[in-house]
Amino acid sequence: MPAGIPYEEARTRYQVGGQPRMRADDASVAELLRAWHPDHGAGARVALAVGVNRGEPCQPDLARHLQANALIDDVDIAGAQLTTTDVLVIGGGGGGCAAALTAAGEGARVILATKLRLGDSNTVMAEGGIQAAIGDDDSPQRHFEDTLRAGHFRGEPELVARMVMEGPDVIRWLIRLGMMFDQEEGQLMGGNLLRKKPGGATAARILSYRDYTGLEMMRVLREAVDLAPGIEVWNRCAAVELLSDERGRCAGAVLYNMEWRSFVLVRARAVVLATGGAGRLHLNAFPTSNHYGATADGLVLAYRLGARMRDLDSFQYHPTGIAHPPHLAGALISEAARSAGAKLLNGEGERFIDELQPRDVVASAILRECAQGRGIARDGQLGVLLDIPTLERENPGILAKRLVTVRHLAHKCGIDATQEPFLVYPTLHYQNGGAEVDVHGATAVPGLFCAGEVTGGIHGRNRLMGNALLDILSMGRRAGAKAASRDGAVPAIRAGIGHVHAWQRELTAAGLPLDARAPLLFPDYAHFDLQADAGLGSGAHARVVGGLR
Amino acid sequence: MLHLTIEGREVEARGGCSILQAYVQAGETLVEGVGCMGQGVCGSCRVMVRLSGEKEVRTALACETLVQEGMQVAFLDYFTEATRHTYDLEDIGDSWQVLRTITDVFPEAPHCRHCSGCDRACPKDLEVQRGVNLAVEGKLAEASHVFDECVMCNLCTLACPESIRPNHLGLFVRRIVASQALRPANLMLRLRQVENGEMTIDFDAPGARPPA
Ligand SMILES: Cc1cc2nc3c(=O)[nH]c(=O)nc-3n(C[C@H](O)[C@H](O)[C@H](O)COP(=O)(O)OP(=O)(O)OC[C@H]3O[C@@H](n4cnc5c(N)ncnc54)[C@H](O)[C@@H]3O)c2cc1C
Ligand code: SF4
Ligand code: SF4
Ligand code: FES
């Protein structure tokens, strides 16, 4: 890590309420991104050597997982318990819950299997809010154009159009389920929902519940799923492979039940993958804001079965992750702070970017400051300052009223948010790309649907704040409904992992090793080895698992 | 280096890290009792903690609690209750009967012993007992507000001798309030416009195409 200006020294240049100058800079946005964003530069991508996206670019760390061998082989699942259901939903975040609730609502029998517990997900961590164009100065058309523009016009207009048109209905659906939203003047009947303006949008369109929208959303969705008679929830059951039939359709999944330490085969007419993102792969050695289970499992499984991917080299690094104290590194400080007017300062006490630029631009600017020696070093961590104290001085009470989570976070960092600025550094936040889907979440593999962060196409190569929560719910509902319909779904006669054998041949032909395995299921530092845990032969020398499992 | 015991194992840890971090840094397996890993919102990492030299055992969230010399930590298993309160929001027809609905679904709620077990268990310092009592009195808005920041860790449910499941009662009340009473004007207007076909998407609008 490059050197920075010592914290104490930088602190002497900082003053609450100071009027820092903006550092002169004539680099264009395009130059800034090209030179400093982790998606760009020499080591940013490799060409995939196997699978349907062969020859196309992919982030190198992710590529290692996509081009790995399966975790299991035929012998491992011989004699495993077998269950059948109509729809198997994999993943217990917002996308999975929306799919399960709609599928069950259509009368399908649903199993929702999730790796940790129902709700442990990126969804519960969302803070800022959800977009829906409901203001009189706003329209779905504006939402449509803002989303495409922010995504550098690489998103799919059809998908975006469906999402923005459904925005208001998704909010009504959430309210019907019992989710609360902030209001302008606190009257329940006939008042207006409070709207906030996200960076990069032309109208105030963020709806929220305080600054823990995801918590409010997820506890409602989880309770609804838990109480829905048509849904069985399987906690702590990770998908380790999909099942295919003789025609290459998706016919269910192999789950690993962590409680029983055994495999279960679930045959289903349709599978909805909603396994979320990839942050815990710590791509490019970045810290992450993501939950513990965000290890790109869905991407790996879908790709191996033949689903086409897109934008596998495009990720979002949120500008304001915590850099200090080290134990909170990567934790997110919501964009709400910058939207409200908080400024970023380098070690020389200067501003260096318009803080309300899109996330990729602001993150790149911070990386540049740090790489060029104007960052601030504290206990081995490097970053720049986020000036909350001045914001509070200029808007007394804003921390108590609007930025509740920021205040909590400051407390956890051991600082007084009215006196001391945060040290921040970009954090790996969101996977812009993923499985290619149609408006019903259908992939190219019959029987396999995807919803949520595991998909690509809506956000192009950069996502607006608040669009992910809308995306997962609108697509999740559509995928759930379609998966429940019996359109052309002929139950598979035989379901197995035949596609894995073909995959292994492909790996060998490409000269790739068979001993690298994926999905990862848990980050490296979880010290989890499936082979050893399940008592499989090849892992006999691996560490015997103790600890908390 | 600090020394502490987690799940009966001696663990060495650098100061300034959370219990969860200390555990994985010590090389132990951690695939349960963890979710958000630090944000303190998922309620998975429930632990009992006893500080060196103290008798009292407290409940806490392991991702938000920093290690201390001599600390003893035990994780609390996630459990699924044998009985639970089931309801369907759609069935709550007459909102004049909401008080009865609440006690129908949560028949134990009026039996609160005011023992404040729930308050002591809550890692978020919510006034859980007050929330329960407000709900029973029908002060729904106030009751729901008490549970604003509840992370559904279920520690209060574990602590409650009357099996009230205070957090689920709190969530039930919140859901009733939102689903029955929240009717935002701007949202209703936009829904009508969308349903009438007044709002459509023009794929060829100048703003929908990349600048030349
Ligand atoms: C800190 C933070 C703040 C954010 N703030 C906002 C915001 O304000 N607004 C916004 O729009 N977006 C926000 N986002 C992004 C948004 O929250 C996510 O993109 C979205 O919630 C993803 O939903 P999902 O259902 O696709 O995945 P998740 O909610 O991540 O759910 C994935 C689920 O899949 C499970 N899973 C993973 N692998 C497996 C497997 N192998 N087998 C079984 N289950 C598996 C996981 O355990 C989890 O339950 C934020 C994200 C983070 C991390
Ligand atoms: S109210 Fe209960 S479930 Fe909610 S945070 Fe407190 S102890 Fe946990
Ligand atoms: S623990 Fe149960 S009985 Fe005791 S005060 Fe709380 S709700 Fe009442
Ligand atoms: S890991 Fe989520 S609350 Fe601790």
Side-chain angles (χ1 to χ4, degrees):
Chain A
M1 189 162 275
I5 296 167
Y7 179 73
E8 284 68 31
E9 188 186 327
R11 214 37 191 89
T12 62
R13 299 187 187 127
Y14 170 78
Q15 205 193 336
V16 183
Q19 292 299 325
R21 66 190 175 281
M22 177 76 92
R23 192 165 64 80
D25 176 19
D26 49 18
S28 69
V29 162
E31 282 163 11
L32 186 65
L33 289 176
R34 211 175 314 121
W36 300 105
H37 195 278
D39 282 357
H40 298 267
R45 50 182 56 74
V46 292
L48 289 170
V50 290
V52 279
N53 291 77
R54 191 181 312 117
E56 290 171 33
C58 179
Q59 198 283 339
D61 300 323
L62 179 60
R64 271 198 293 284
H65 293 269
L66 289 181
Q67 309 195 113
N69 193 1
L71 290 170
I72 52 163
D73 222 323
D74 276 332
V75 290
D76 304 329
I77 52 170
Q81 192 197 322
L82 180 75
T83 309
T84 57
T85 185
D86 294 331
V87 176
L88 172 64
V89 176
I90 302 175
C97 288
L101 286 168
T102 31
E106 303 277 320
R109 286 177 304 148
V110 179
I111 291 178
L112 186 154
T114 185
K115 183 161 63 180
L116 295 153
R117 285 180 323 157
L118 181 61
D120 295 342
S121 61
N122 280 357
T123 305
V124 75
M125 302 177 76
E127 299 182 336
I130 176 169
Q131 290 211 25
I134 62 165
D136 52 11
D137 56 351
D138 196 8
S139 65
Q141 179 73 26
R142 285 183 92 123
H143 191 177
F144 176 71
E145 294 176 13
D146 287 349
T147 302
L148 287 174
R149 191 179 57 253
H152 304 290
F153 294 98
R154 301 285 286 276
E156 287 303 324
E158 283 292 342
L159 297 183
V160 178
R162 282 296 282 261
M163 177 183 84
V164 300
M165 286 298 283
E166 283 174 8
D169 187 54
V170 163
I171 304 302
R172 172 168 59 187
W173 184 74
L174 288 168
I175 292 174
R176 280 202 169 133
L177 287 170
M179 177 174 170
M180 296 200 187
F181 285 92
D182 289 326
Q183 292 163 277
E184 272 172 13
E185 56 296 274
Q187 69 202 57
L188 287 164
M189 186 73 75
N192 275 336
L193 291 184
L194 181 74
R195 300 181 291 129
K196 299 177 197 160
K197 194 165 170 168
T202 56
R205 192 180 298 134
I206 295 274
L207 312 179
S208 57
Y209 189 71
R210 318 276 158 136
D211 55 357
Y212 37 90
T213 309
L215 171 59
E216 169 66 4
M217 179 183 291
M218 197 67 241
R219 62 190 169 199
V220 164
L221 289 174
R222 176 174 43 205
E223 196 87 338
V225 165
D226 242 340
L227 297 181
I231 307 175
E232 264 182 61
V233 176
W234 292 14
N235 284 309
R236 307 202 60 225
C237 285
V240 296
E241 194 54 60
L242 293 170
L243 289 172
S244 54
D245 69 6
E246 56 284 355
R247 293 158 299 170
R249 277 181 58 95
C250 179
V254 183
L255 307 177
Y256 181 63
N257 184 322
M258 313 257 296
E259 225 73 72
W260 306 340
R261 300 195 180 199
S262 62
F263 296 101
V264 186
L265 308 191
V266 179
R267 280 174 54 170
R269 266 193 305 152
V271 172
V272 182
L273 260 183
T275 49
R280 286 279 159 185
L281 294 182
H282 294 284
L283 306 175
N284 300 317
F286 264 79
T288 184
S289 63
N290 286 192
H291 86 288
Y292 203 62
T295 48
D297 302 355
L299 294 183
V300 169
L301 298 180
Y303 190 61
R304 196 178 284 150
L305 188 54
R308 166 163 268 289
M309 303 283 147
R310 51 175 294 158
D311 303 308
L312 290 170
D313 52 349
S314 174
F315 295 84
Q316 187 164 80
Y317 297 80
H318 196 292
T320 55
I322 288 184
H324 190 273
H327 83 277
L328 288 173
L332 193 71
I333 304 177
S334 158
E335 183 166 310
R338 274 177 301 121
S339 322
K343 302 288 187 274
L344 292 165
L345 305 171
N346 67 18
E348 285 164 5
E350 306 161 316
R351 288 178 61 201
F352 50 89
I353 185 76
D354 168 8
E355 290 80 359
L356 297 180
Q357 289 265 2
R359 290 179 177 171
D360 50 354
V361 180
V362 179
S364 302
I366 297 174
L367 293 172
R368 177 180 61 181
E369 293 310 292
C370 290
Q372 293 183 340
R374 294 184 298 275
I376 299 161
R378 187 174 190 190
D379 299 338
Q381 305 286 109
L382 197 60
V384 297
L385 298 181
L386 178 67
D387 184 5
I388 301 285
T390 302
L391 178 68
E392 171 72 19
R393 173 172 297 191
E394 288 165 358
N395 308 269
I398 192 168
L399 279 167
K401 278 196 232 107
R402 271 177 59 192
L403 302 174
V404 185
T405 306
V406 173
R407 200 170 53 156
H408 284 324
L409 212 49
H411 179 73
K412 281 201 254 179
C413 290
I415 64 178
D416 174 354
T418 64
Q419 296 303 320
E420 225 182 297
F422 283 99
L423 192 68
V424 299
Y425 189 79
T427 181
L428 178 55
H429 186 57
Y430 187 81
Q431 157 197 313
N432 294 323
E436 248 179 51
V437 288
D438 71 4
V439 290
H440 302 292
T443 66
V445 179
L448 180 63
F449 297 81
C450 289
E453 196 170 335
V454 73
T455 66
I458 290 186
H459 313 290
R461 295 179 72 83
N462 182 53
R463 171 179 70 84
L464 284 179
M465 167 194 189
N467 260 352
L469 289 180
L470 179 57
D471 161 13
I472 65 173
L473 299 181
S474 64
M475 187 66 90
R477 294 196 312 170
R478 272 179 264 138
K482 193 72 174 176
S485 74
R486 292 179 173 260
D487 296 6
V490 192
I493 301 157
R494 268 206 302 276
I497 54 171
H499 62 284
V500 170
H501 307 144
W503 180 256
Q504 288 167 342
R505 283 193 296 277
E506 220 184 315
L507 290 177
T508 309
L512 289 163
L514 290 179
D515 57 351
R517 291 172 186 271
L520 189 59
L521 303 179
F522 294 98
D524 288 333
Y525 41 84
H527 306 291
F528 178 78
D529 181 330
L530 178 75
Q531 308 284 320
D533 199 69
L536 302 182
S538 52
H541 301 298
R543 184 173 182 286
V544 178
V545 182
L548 259 181
R549 58 149 325 279
Chain B
M1 278 302 202
L2 304 175
H3 304 82
L4 60 156
T5 325
I6 307 178
E7 291 290 283
R9 276 163 236 248
E10 311 262 327
V11 168
E12 281 202 344
R14 272 183 280 117
C17 67
S18 73
I19 293 171
L20 286 189
Q21 284 170 329
Y23 203 51
V24 292
Q25 278 158 18
E28 296 291 342
T29 300
L30 178 72
V31 295
E32 185 184 7
V34 55
C36 61
M37 189 72 181
Q39 200 177 314
V41 289
C42 76
S44 293
C45 58
R46 311 171 317 162
V47 286
M48 292 194 291
V49 176
R50 189 159 93 186
L51 300 182
S52 159
E54 280 184 16
K55 274 217 195 102
E56 198 202 347
V57 176
R58 275 176 290 175
T59 47
L61 295 176
C63 72
E64 288 199 295
T65 307
L66 298 188
V67 292
Q68 288 183 31
E69 179 64 33
M71 186 184 238
Q72 287 172 287
V73 182
F75 277 78
L76 283 162
D77 267 353
Y78 178 68
F79 72 107
T80 349
E81 320 69 32
T83 56
R84 52 197 206 167
H85 305 91
T86 53
Y87 58 88
D88 186 343
L89 276 189
E90 305 272 318
D91 292 345
I92 303 170
D94 180 1
S95 44
W96 284 97
Q97 299 299 324
V98 71
L99 260 188
R100 179 178 313 155
T101 310
I102 290 175
T103 46
D104 280 352
V105 178
F106 286 82
E108 308 85 358
H111 305 156
C112 173
R113 297 185 199 177
H114 309 285
C115 68
S116 73
C118 50
D119 291 346
R120 270 175 284 128
C122 182
K124 296 288 174 186
D125 292 328
L126 307 184
E127 295 177 289
V128 188
Q129 176 183 177
R130 192 169 78 87
V132 169
N133 299 326
L134 286 168
V136 173
E137 288 166 30
K139 299 191 171 146
L140 303 190
E142 224 181 318
S144 67
H145 193 57
V146 170
F147 293 97
D148 256 352
E149 293 178 45
C150 169
V151 298
M152 298 301 281
C153 68
N154 271 330
L155 282 169
C156 53
T157 284
L158 272 182
C160 179
E162 291 289 345
S163 304
I164 292 174
R165 306 189 80 208
N167 54 326
H168 291 274
L169 171 61
L171 182 55
F172 181 46
V173 170
R174 293 180 68 83
R175 295 182 67 194
I176 293 177
V177 171
S179 64
Q180 299 262 323
L182 186 57
R183 294 291 177 272
N186 49 3
L187 176 63
M188 291 191 294
L189 178 62
R190 181 52 39 90
L191 279 164
R192 203 181 63 194
Q193 290 168 328
V194 169
E195 279 151 18
N196 285 349
E198 287 169 51
M199 294 266 160
T200 50
I201 299 294
D202 175 3
F203 284 79
D204 297 318
R209 273 171 293 155

